[in-house]
Amino acid sequence: MDEQIETLQQHLQDLRHQLHAGTVYQSLGNRIGQLIDGVHRQRRTPIALPDERDGIRNLLKDVSQGLEGDREVHLTLAELDHLLQHLRSTNPKIRYLGVHFTLYDALEDGVFSAAQIQWLVTQLLRDDRLFDHILEPSNQGVYGRSAATSFLATLIHYSNDHPKLVQLDYDEIVVKVATYICLETDTRGFINQQGWAHAFTSITELLTTLGDGVQLTRADKLFLMVTLLERFKRLTTPLIYGETERMGGYLVLLTNRHPIYESACLTALKQWRQQVALHRRATETAAGWNQFYNRRRLLDAMRLQRDLSPQIRAYLSSAIDFLA
């Protein structure tokens, strides 16, 4: 793993432990933000993509026919690894319509053993999948990162429904997911000929699933929520493919679960407004306007949620947006 990513991961783990111990709370957002700001981006490097001539089409066909024909399907770890490799494909017919839906259907049909599900989660959390070319400018690595995050959400949702069957290492999941959120900056939605990138849709889907489960402590759910907000406010490219609506839904669902999430979210929103006001006289740039409109879209998405808490709604209704 890149030394910089390893260091970030350790700092996030330390912050998480401090939050659990009750020694950090009000400053959590600022401290996570400082870690994000300290990340140094790298130059673009070549990306090794999977080869569609390696038998993936035949494997997908065999599994799909077995599932559709109500035949008992068995997948070896080698075959599962073969499928996972092609979650990185730039061909949406292979990556999304092929591998993702085949894995989803196999999970739904009970093809995977508990050990295989745990193995799949471990594989999806691997650094070479979750952080593939993540420090570089927008690149084709986003497909694998986003697909891994999306299917990880599916597996965790399954484990939420089968807690006695599947035992996952949630300590590792929280730190890995927080690290990924801090590092991801690719906001592209649909890309011609290559399909959906949608990294932040996948991130929100995963956080929603983790928030729905009972395995995470309140501190961990709060930690991930604050990490998402700190990453979001620093994005300098637009999120315009429905991501903010999903994020707004996630924030409302979580803040309605317990007053501690509501309080932390309200604190983060107030700090964010102060930061916007502080920099309102900054030189206008496309990046600055993208940040402004990303924020506006998210706050509007929250306002449109019927279940938004009265306290947050009152604040959003009284807050003044600064234009720069």
Side-chain angles (χ1 to χ4, degrees):
M1 176 167 52
D2 182 280
E3 183 178 350
Q4 184 179 193
I5 297 177
E6 187 175 5
T7 300
L8 173 63
Q9 193 164 284
Q10 185 57 56
H11 286 323
L12 287 169
Q13 180 70 285
D14 292 342
L15 266 181
R16 175 175 171 258
H17 287 157
Q18 292 174 48
L19 180 63
H20 276 259
T23 59
V24 60
Y25 177 69
Q26 292 288 349
S27 63
L28 178 64
N30 288 335
R31 295 178 67 174
I32 291 176
Q34 290 170 4
L35 293 177
I36 296 174
D37 292 338
V39 173
H40 298 289
R41 296 286 153 177
Q42 299 174 351
R43 294 180 179 179
R44 196 185 306 276
T45 60
I47 298 176
L49 296 172
D51 187 349
E52 293 180 19
R53 299 168 297 180
D54 65 359
I56 185 62
R57 293 180 186 274
N58 288 334
L59 177 57
L60 288 170
K61 182 179 179 180
D62 290 343
V63 177
S64 296
Q65 287 180 343
L67 294 172
E68 292 170 3
D70 291 328
R71 290 190 282 108
E72 191 170 2
V73 176
H74 295 283
L75 286 167
T76 66
L77 292 185
E79 288 171 329
L80 286 175
D81 184 66
H82 193 183
L83 291 169
L84 291 184
Q85 289 297 329
H86 285 270
L87 282 178
R88 299 167 47 245
S89 173
T90 58
N91 182 345
K93 292 182 179 179
I94 296 291
R95 178 184 73 251
Y96 189 64
L97 298 177
V99 177
H100 186 90
F101 277 104
T102 296
L103 288 171
Y104 180 86
D105 289 344
L107 179 66
E108 191 174 54
D109 281 13
V111 170
F112 305 137
S113 67
Q116 284 181 317
I117 292 174
Q118 290 173 209
W119 181 88
L120 283 166
V121 170
T122 299
Q123 294 302 306
L124 293 171
L125 288 172
R126 276 173 41 180
D127 298 333
D128 59 346
R129 295 191 197 280
L130 211 53
F131 309 135
D132 186 30
H133 293 265
I134 200 169
L135 293 174
E136 302 171 20
S138 296
N139 58 73
Q140 293 173 321
V142 69
Y143 300 111
R145 300 194 302 266
S146 179
T149 306
S150 179
F151 191 56
L152 183 61
T154 299
L155 292 171
I156 291 175
H157 179 78
Y158 182 88
S159 71
N160 287 346
D161 292 340
H162 303 82
K164 294 182 179 179
L165 176 65
V166 183
Q167 303 294 320
L168 301 179
D169 184 351
Y170 283 95
D171 289 338
E172 179 187 21
I173 289 172
V174 169
V175 176
K176 281 288 185 73
V177 170
T179 305
Y180 173 60
I181 294 171
C182 286
L183 295 172
E184 185 62 86
T185 58
D186 196 324
T187 61
R188 291 177 295 170
F190 188 83
I191 301 170
N192 288 337
Q193 283 78 54
Q194 298 184 350
W196 290 101
H198 246 177
F200 282 88
T201 294
S202 296
I203 287 171
T204 307
E205 179 184 0
L206 177 55
L207 294 188
T208 300
T209 302
L210 288 168
D212 283 341
V214 298
Q215 292 83 356
L216 262 61
T217 64
R218 287 174 183 161
D220 280 336
K221 293 178 182 179
L222 187 151
F223 182 70
L224 291 173
M225 179 188 74
V226 173
T227 302
L228 177 66
L229 288 170
E230 291 301 318
R231 160 40 67 210
F232 182 89
K233 70 172 65 172
R234 288 165 171 79
L235 294 173
T236 57
T237 48
L239 284 168
I240 54 175
Y241 281 88
E243 299 91 346
T244 51
E245 285 83 354
R246 287 175 179 261
M247 289 183 189
Y250 155 71
L251 290 171
V252 170
L253 283 172
L254 188 62
T255 53
N256 282 339
R257 286 185 175 275
H258 193 276
I260 192 171
Y261 307 129
E262 178 187 48
S263 176
C265 183
L266 193 57
T267 296
L269 293 175
K270 290 178 179 179
Q271 290 175 345
W272 196 357
R273 179 176 176 270
Q274 291 170 355
Q275 290 161 353
V276 171
L278 183 64
H279 295 97
R280 68 185 184 276
R281 300 184 191 281
T283 302
E284 290 189 9
T285 62
W289 282 111
N290 283 331
Q291 288 178 318
F292 171 77
Y293 281 107
N294 280 343
R295 176 175 176 270
R296 173 166 285 184
R297 281 188 287 269
L298 178 60
L299 299 187
D300 285 346
M302 293 179 69
R303 289 188 186 101
L304 290 173
Q305 295 283 326
R306 291 183 179 180
D307 296 334
L308 180 65
S309 82
Q311 189 174 1
I312 295 179
R313 187 178 296 281
Y315 171 72
L316 293 180
S317 298
S318 65
I320 299 173
D321 268 336
F322 295 92
L323 293 178

